[in-house]
Amino acid sequence: MLVLARRINERIIIGDSIFVSVVDIKGDQVKLGIDAPANVKVFRQEIFDAIQEENRKAAQSRGELPSLNGLMDQGPDAAQKGDSDRD
């Protein structure tokens, strides 16, 4: 792990297109600004962990949507009828 010291308004560059800036420091909290291309996903660690856990659960729960089986075989009218039943 690379450890760097930075002050407010100083940056680090990752690769050619990701910039991390120190925006503010208050007590033990550091606010970072991250400028990255739209195709680069940036998450807080706890959010990333939650997404991974949900993905694991979804992968383990295959086949829990029996009401969708055969819907395509019934044609578009069946899908629209199902939507109107909710009103």
Side-chain angles (χ1 to χ4, degrees):
M1 174 188 299
L2 174 64
V3 178
L4 300 171
R6 299 279 76 195
R7 293 190 172 119
I8 292 177
N9 297 321
E10 292 183 335
R11 314 169 92 171
I12 63 167
I13 302 170
I14 301 171
D16 293 330
S17 59
I18 301 172
F19 300 88
V20 180
S21 302
V22 178
V23 176
D24 195 17
I25 302 171
K26 288 185 181 177
D28 63 350
Q29 185 179 43
V30 177
K31 291 186 179 180
L32 301 174
I34 302 168
D35 185 12
N39 66 327
V40 175
K41 296 178 182 178
V42 179
F43 298 104
R44 296 185 327 232
Q45 180 72 50
E46 62 274 16
I47 300 298
F48 179 81
D49 292 343
I51 291 169
Q52 294 293 75
E53 181 61 25
E54 288 300 317
N55 288 343
R56 277 192 284 278
K57 288 178 184 177
Q60 292 173 354
S61 64
R62 291 186 292 160
E64 290 189 11
L65 300 172
S67 63
L68 297 179
N69 289 339
L71 186 60
M72 294 300 290
D73 296 334
Q74 296 174 10
D77 294 335
Q80 289 174 355
K81 181 181 177 191
D83 289 342
S84 66
D85 290 344
R86 291 187 204 146
D87 295 333

